[in-house]
Amino acid sequence: MQSFQVRGGWQGQHVRRPEAFLAPVELTSSVLDVGVDWAMTQTIRLGYGAKRISSEGLDYVALRDANYTVVGFDLANLNLEDQLHAWGLTWRLNERTEASLQ
């Protein structure tokens, strides 16, 4: 039995906040997420996933200490784009055991 599934999602956000005492915040960000799952046989599956993250604009980033406690904020001018890709192959050995290579 073969099956082929494609899943995905997209999220976009634009934030604009005028600040009285600080620099105004204006940030645009987006995330695109896509995944493919192909059951080649009943025991072998091939998977692929990709994610694209981008962000551009001004925002305040939390500054944290060694205990991960927020101790302040710093203005950041963001201009980034990151892409992640992953492949995986899974073998079903029996009802309760699988082996995978990623």
Side-chain angles (χ1 to χ4, degrees):
M1 176 178 128
Q2 287 192 4
S3 69
F4 188 78
Q5 294 180 340
V6 178
R7 297 183 180 119
W10 178 82
Q11 177 185 1
Q13 181 178 12
H14 181 78
V15 177
R16 182 181 295 169
R17 273 190 322 260
E19 299 287 343
F21 301 105
L22 304 170
V25 171
E26 185 161 354
L27 181 70
T28 301
S29 62
S30 66
V31 176
L32 174 64
D33 193 1
V34 177
V36 175
D37 186 29
W38 178 27
M40 300 163 57
T41 67
Q42 286 187 349
T43 59
I44 298 175
R45 301 179 77 84
L46 180 64
Y48 170 75
K51 187 172 285 211
R52 180 183 176 274
I53 303 167
S54 66
S55 186
E56 185 174 358
L58 292 172
D59 198 3
Y60 286 90
V61 178
L63 302 174
R64 299 180 184 269
D65 64 9
N67 296 321
Y68 209 65
T69 303
V70 176
V71 294
F73 293 91
D74 195 11
L75 183 64
N77 186 6
L78 302 172
N79 185 8
L80 64 93
E81 183 177 308
D82 198 2
Q83 294 184 23
L84 308 163
H85 301 274
W87 286 94
L89 185 62
T90 303
W91 296 275
R92 183 173 177 205
L93 303 173
N94 60 43
E95 269 187 48
R96 298 181 183 185
T97 307
E98 291 183 345
S100 66
L101 176 66
Q102 297 179 6

